[in-house]
Amino acid sequence: MSLRKLLNLRNTLAFRLTLWYAGIFTVSSCVAFFLFYTLIAGVIRDRTDQELLGQVNRFSTLLAEEGTEAVENGVVIEAQAAGVKKVFFRLLHLNGQVFSSTNVSYWKDIGIDRTAIEQLLQGRGAVFETIVIPGRKDKVRILYAMLSPAIIVQLGQAMESYSRFLDAFKGIFIATMTFLIIVAAGVGWFMAKRAVSGVEAVTRTAQKISGGSLQERVPVKPRGDEIDQLATTFNHMLDRIQILLTEIKEMSDNIAHDLRSPITRIRGVAEVVLTTGASLVEYEGMAASTIEECDRLLDMINTMLLISKTESGVDKLSREEVDIAGLVRDACELFAPVAEDKRVSLSCHVPGKSLLSGDKRMIQRMLSNILDNAVKYTPSGGRVEVSVSENEKQDIVVSVQDTGAGISKADLPRIFERFYRCDQSRSQAGTGLGLSLARAIARAHGGDITVVSSPNQGSTFTIILPKPTSS
Ligand code: ADP
């Protein structure tokens, strides 16, 4: 692994998780070791203290039974038997004056502790001390105790077993901790790698996508953990982006197509007029058809802009009290002559009034788009029925039902998309923007438009407009 890779590794989440894991594991192990050490050290010290107290008791009995001389001889024999480098005795008067001792040449660094003697004189049964002599391995445990009301004994013992335990403990500690830290780092690395492997999969997919392949998806395991939820959300987001991109592509294709036809027509007419050395009348005709085509183009562009503005809410709706029933009646009257020409029966069932706060011109445009479609896509002899009512939530419901061409299941979810036109409607005039605008207007008013349709039987468009709740 190169140095650069190693340095990069330092910044990875897996590395930091491993460090945390190994760190916490090491600290907890150290705490456990320390507690264990304190416990065992305490037990060893207590055992030493018991031994020292046992000896004091023995010599105290000896003093009572056989006198001071017997004790003086006894401590010398005891010290020689144990080893003069392991045990020493000093017998003291109450003023701390030494009157007898074993061979203390090895122990000359240890003096008499006045405070301990004072504590004894104040009535304490025994005073213990631990002394560290620089340069010597073993600590020394010292006991001051009253042998009789007039004699104090200072008894010292090298804490050999304590040092042995400490050495053994240090060895075990270093070996165990080294092993544990290596294991903890290994386990931590394994766990961290497993935990972030899902995130790495998401990153890899994101990299492939930025490389141009939007079909890629993150593999989702059936566990349903946080990483799987992240992967699922990421995949949903990608689905949505893909749909949006496809829609944008289709829309730009449609725009290009819809712009090309009128421009080609304008160019064709101009070319014919130019090449045939036309008269003034023909030039006038060309100008008229150019204006007509330009009006169609402008209408289309303006409608597109209006849809965008309405959807984004850039242009605030002008709110005023609108009588929906009245507007529907007016729209029916407007379309009655067209319907009559086509021999389509147009009937209108509306109540006297249906008031709502909204943008009158926008609502008019929405109603005429829906009504225009109903009449346009219903053949001669068909029926269009328009009604206004209220649902259980007091929303105003405008229903436009026709017995026309109907819409296939495949087309139904797409008819509200910009520029979408069902194949069978392409012979009819239209831009494919009417329903998009109508839905944008309904949604800007807090409502929506739904459609139920079956091919060759007809369609029902339902506009729902909620009345704003009075606060
Ligand atoms: P267009 O300008 O083509 O009418 P719209 O956005 O108004 O555009 O409608 C989109 C498509 O939905 C139409 O091309 C048509 O195929 C279909 N459509 C809309 N209304 C009806 C209807 N009442 N009956 C059958 N098809 C309809």
Side-chain angles (χ1 to χ4, degrees):
M1 202 183 287
S2 67
L3 185 71
R4 197 195 175 86
K5 267 191 177 170
L6 267 178
L7 285 176
N8 281 345
L9 198 70
R10 237 180 32 178
N11 298 327
T12 61
L13 181 62
F15 181 75
R16 271 178 284 153
L17 281 175
T18 308
L19 265 194
W20 271 103
Y21 180 77
I24 291 171
F25 194 82
T26 309
V27 170
S28 345
S29 305
C30 283
V31 170
F33 262 106
F34 176 74
L35 291 178
F36 181 66
Y37 167 80
T38 319
L39 189 82
I40 302 284
V43 170
I44 294 176
R45 206 191 45 230
D46 284 353
R47 230 184 48 197
T48 312
D49 291 353
Q50 290 309 318
E51 277 175 24
L52 296 179
L53 279 174
Q55 295 204 31
V56 168
N57 284 341
R58 250 180 337 107
F59 287 117
S60 170
T61 318
L62 190 66
L63 181 71
E65 286 171 359
E66 297 177 28
T68 315
E69 212 170 311
V71 173
E72 286 175 20
N73 293 333
V75 293
V76 172
I77 295 166
E78 183 72 35
Q80 276 170 356
V84 284
K85 288 190 177 174
K86 289 190 179 148
V87 177
F88 76 90
F89 291 86
R90 281 188 184 123
L91 298 175
L92 322 168
H93 293 300
L94 293 188
N95 61 4
Q97 196 71 47
V98 180
F99 66 88
S100 172
S101 75
T102 57
N103 179 358
V104 287
S105 53
Y106 183 72
W107 305 102
K108 57 182 178 304
D109 293 331
I110 300 173
I112 308 295
D113 184 353
R114 295 271 153 203
T115 335
I117 291 176
E118 270 163 32
Q119 284 176 353
L120 282 182
L121 294 177
Q122 278 161 17
R124 270 187 68 175
V127 178
F128 287 99
E129 276 177 1
T130 302
I131 291 178
V132 181
I133 302 174
R136 284 204 206 157
K137 193 166 136 241
D138 298 339
K139 288 180 183 173
V140 186
R141 190 71 171 156
I142 307 283
L143 166 64
Y144 292 89
M146 301 292 290
L147 266 193
S148 74
I151 298 174
I152 296 171
V153 64
Q154 183 201 31
L155 201 169
Q157 182 171 323
M159 296 173 81
E160 258 181 326
S161 46
Y162 191 86
S163 306
R164 268 206 307 278
F165 162 72
L166 209 65
D167 287 347
F169 188 85
K170 265 188 205 157
I172 293 172
F173 178 78
I174 290 168
T176 316
M177 281 314 288
T178 314
F179 175 72
L180 283 183
I181 289 171
I182 292 170
V183 170
V187 172
W189 181 251
F190 171 75
M191 285 184 358
K193 272 306 236 185
R194 262 188 79 90
V196 298
S197 64
V199 181
E200 283 171 354
V202 176
T203 312
R204 271 197 301 277
T205 311
Q207 278 165 352
K208 279 186 198 158
I209 289 165
S210 38
S213 148
L214 199 61
Q215 287 78 33
E216 290 290 334
R217 291 294 177 271
V218 184
V220 182
K221 303 210 175 73
R223 290 182 307 231
D225 58 18
E226 290 85 343
I227 299 291
D228 292 333
Q229 284 171 20
L230 170 72
T232 314
T233 314
F234 188 72
N235 287 346
H236 280 157
M237 192 183 75
L238 288 177
D239 291 344
R240 185 86 196 101
I241 291 174
Q242 202 172 8
I243 290 171
L244 284 177
L245 282 181
T246 316
E247 279 178 13
I248 289 171
K249 191 183 165 302
E250 279 177 10
M251 205 170 78
S252 39
D253 287 352
N254 285 329
I255 293 175
H257 181 265
D258 282 25
L259 287 180
R260 199 174 58 179
S261 312
I263 291 172
T264 314
R265 276 198 299 271
I266 292 170
R267 194 187 177 284
V269 172
E271 199 174 5
V272 168
V273 172
L274 262 184
T275 49
T276 53
S279 63
L280 183 65
V281 179
E282 282 168 316
Y283 273 113
E284 281 173 357
M286 182 192 82
S289 81
T290 306
I291 289 172
E292 202 181 305
E293 294 292 357
C294 285
D295 281 350
R296 267 175 42 76
L297 281 174
L298 275 175
D299 184 46
M300 194 178 87
I301 292 166
N302 285 336
T303 311
M304 273 165 59
L305 286 174
L306 187 62
I307 295 172
S308 295
K309 282 181 184 167
T310 313
E311 277 180 349
S312 63
V314 174
D315 274 3
K316 287 266 168 268
L317 296 175
S318 66
R319 294 269 179 187
E320 59 187 302
E321 193 167 63
V322 181
D323 175 19
I324 302 292
L327 291 187
V328 171
R329 240 189 324 264
D330 292 348
C332 287
E333 272 172 28
L334 192 73
F335 280 93
V338 189
E340 208 179 301
D341 281 355
K342 271 191 85 178
R343 285 192 292 115
V344 170
S345 112
L346 174 62
S347 56
C348 194
H349 314 279
V350 291
K353 262 190 175 186
S354 237
L355 295 175
L356 182 115
S357 155
D359 190 315
K360 189 174 171 190
R361 281 191 46 237
M362 292 288 230
I363 295 175
Q364 272 173 333
R365 193 142 184 200
M366 172 180 70
L367 292 172
S368 66
N369 280 357
I370 302 286
L371 221 64
D372 179 38
N373 280 348
V375 175
K376 194 162 67 176
Y377 298 116
T378 303
S380 293
R383 272 191 335 271
V384 174
E385 284 177 20
V386 186
S387 67
V388 177
S389 57
E390 279 190 11
N391 66 10
E392 64 283 354
K393 288 193 235 155
Q394 313 285 297
D395 302 331
I396 296 179
V397 180
V398 181
S399 158
V400 179
Q401 187 175 7
D402 65 57
T403 58
I407 303 160
S408 71
K409 258 203 170 117
D411 288 327
L412 211 52
R414 306 199 57 192
I415 55 169
F416 290 98
E417 289 172 18
R418 273 172 245 199
F419 293 107
Y420 190 80
R421 306 193 73 203
C422 307
D423 283 340
Q424 85 264 12
S425 322
R426 295 205 180 268
S427 54
Q428 302 269 9
T431 56
L433 290 171
L435 284 182
S436 314
L437 178 61
R439 177 175 264 187
I441 294 171
R443 288 188 172 169
H445 282 83
D448 208 349
I449 302 184
T450 55
V451 56
V452 180
S453 183
S454 21
N456 303 320
Q457 286 186 17
S459 320
T460 305
F461 283 82
T462 308
I463 306 169
I464 298 176
L465 295 170
K467 291 181 185 166
T469 44
S470 50
S471 52

